[in-house]
Amino acid sequence: MTEMPGRRLLLVHAHPDDESINNGATMAKYAAEGAQVTLVTCTLGEEGEVIPDELAHLAPDREDLLGPHRIGELAAAMKELGVTDHRFLGGPGRFRDSGMMGAPQNEREGAFWSTDLDEAAAHLVAVIRETRPQVLIAYDPDGGYGHPDHIQAHRVAMRAADLAAETAFRRDLGEPHTIAKVYWNRVPRTVVEERFRWLAGVLDATPFDVAAVVDDVPGVVDDERITAAVDGRPYVERKAAAMRAHATQVDVPEAGAVFALSNGLAQPLFDIEYYELVRGEPGSPYEKDLFEGLEGVTER
Ligand SMILES: [Zn+2]
C-alpha cells in the first residue's frame, strides 16, 4: 500500500458546481496544506439550466449534452482549487440528474433519485475504503434545500459511511474503514442575514438587478447548530475562480464577493464556510479545523 497523506477529507455532492459553491474555500485550503481531498459527485447535472445563450443548445430539451460539458467544467474548477482526486459516483453518467422535486425526470430510468440506496452507496463504500478519510462532508437530510439529488446524496453519504465500517459488508470493496467525523454543510442565519444587508448596499455596483433572499441559501440554520467554521479568506479568489469555471450554472463577476445562479438573483459569496458536526467528537466547542481533536493525524 502506498503511503497516504496524514489528513484525508471526502466530500459528497449532487452536481458539478455544488462543491465549489459550498466548500470551494475549504477544499482549496486543505489541498494547499497537503491534505488528501477527494470529491465524489453523484450526477453530471444534466438537468441544470444553462446561463450563457451561446451554450443553450446543450440543454436537456435540445441536444442533451450538458452532462459531458459539465464534466469539463468540474475538471477546470478542480484545477482552480488544486484538487486532483475527483470522481463521479459509479463513473461518469452512471446516475442521472433527477431535476427539481416533482419533475417527471425524478422517475426516469437511471435517475439518481429513484436509484436503490444500497446499490448507490456501495459505489461510495469502495471510494471510502480506498481513500480512508477521517472527515466526511455531506448535506443535511433535506439536502440543504430539498432538491431530490441533494437529498439522495445525503442518504448515500450517510449510508455508505455506515456500510464502509461494517466488517461483514462486501469485503470485495476493500478493508473496512470508520470515518471519524461527519459534517453537514450549514450556514448560520445571522451571518446570512448580515451578508444580505451588506449586499443590498452594494447591489448597484454589481451586474445584478435583484438580490436573492435568505431562504434561497441552502443549509441555513440557527447559529447554535454551527460547530465549525473554516476561514477560507486566503482562498476566496480560488473559490470564485472555481465557481466561474461552472459557467453554464454560475455567474461570478470579476469584482465583488457576489454571484448568481440561473435565476439571476445576486447572492453573497461566502469566504468562511460553516459546518455542523453530526458524528464524532469535536476537538473544541467551535472548531476552526475539521481535523481538530483527531488522534495521530499529522499535518502532512
Ligand atoms: Zn446541486
Side-chain angles (χ1 to χ4, degrees), residues 195-213 253 255-260 264-268:
R195 295 289 283 158
F196 271 103
R197 278 195 294 276
W198 164 82
L199 181 56
V202 301
L203 191 63
D204 285 351
T206 77
F208 308 114
D209 297 328
V210 184
V213 294
V258 295
F259 72 99
L265 302 175
Q267 293 192 38

Side-chain angles (χ1 to χ4, degrees), residues 125 129 162-176:
V125 168
R129 288 179 173 177
D162 285 338
L163 292 175
E166 253 179 50
T167 46
F169 180 76
R170 294 283 306 267
R171 292 303 288 265
D172 59 308
L173 298 179
E175 288 295 308

Side-chain angles (χ1 to χ4, degrees), residues 15 18 145 150:
H15 312 110
D18 292 317
Y145 72 111
H150 286 240

Side-chain angles (χ1 to χ4, degrees), residues 49-172:
E49 285 180 44
V50 179
I51 295 176
D53 288 338
E54 64 273 20
L55 294 174
H57 61 94
L58 299 172
D61 57 351
R62 291 178 65 183
E63 295 171 0
D64 194 18
L65 289 174
L66 189 52
H69 184 83
R70 292 184 73 176
I71 292 176
E73 290 186 339
L74 183 63
M78 291 306 95
K79 224 170 199 163
E80 299 290 354
L81 299 181
V83 171
T84 52
D85 186 11
H86 50 98
R87 313 160 183 222
F88 288 95
L89 188 68
R94 176 68 184 78
F95 301 107
R96 184 168 168 120
D97 188 330
S98 314
M100 290 297 182
M101 189 60 91
Q105 290 94 321
N106 294 179
E107 307 307 325
R108 175 182 178 145
E109 178 76 36
F112 189 44
W113 178 240
S114 54
T115 297
D116 178 75
L117 182 58
D118 281 3
E119 189 222 311
H123 293 291
L124 189 57
V125 168
V127 177
I128 292 170
R129 288 179 173 177
E130 177 201 332
T131 61
R132 313 190 80 73
Q134 297 102 343
V135 175
L136 167 66
I137 297 174
Y139 305 119
D140 64 43
D142 182 45
Y145 72 111
H147 189 294
D149 291 328
H150 286 240
I151 295 172
Q152 185 79 327
H154 159 83
R155 292 174 179 166
V156 167
M158 301 305 285
R159 181 75 178 139
D162 285 338
L163 292 175
E166 253 179 50
T167 46
F169 180 76
R170 294 283 306 267
R171 292 303 288 265
D172 59 308

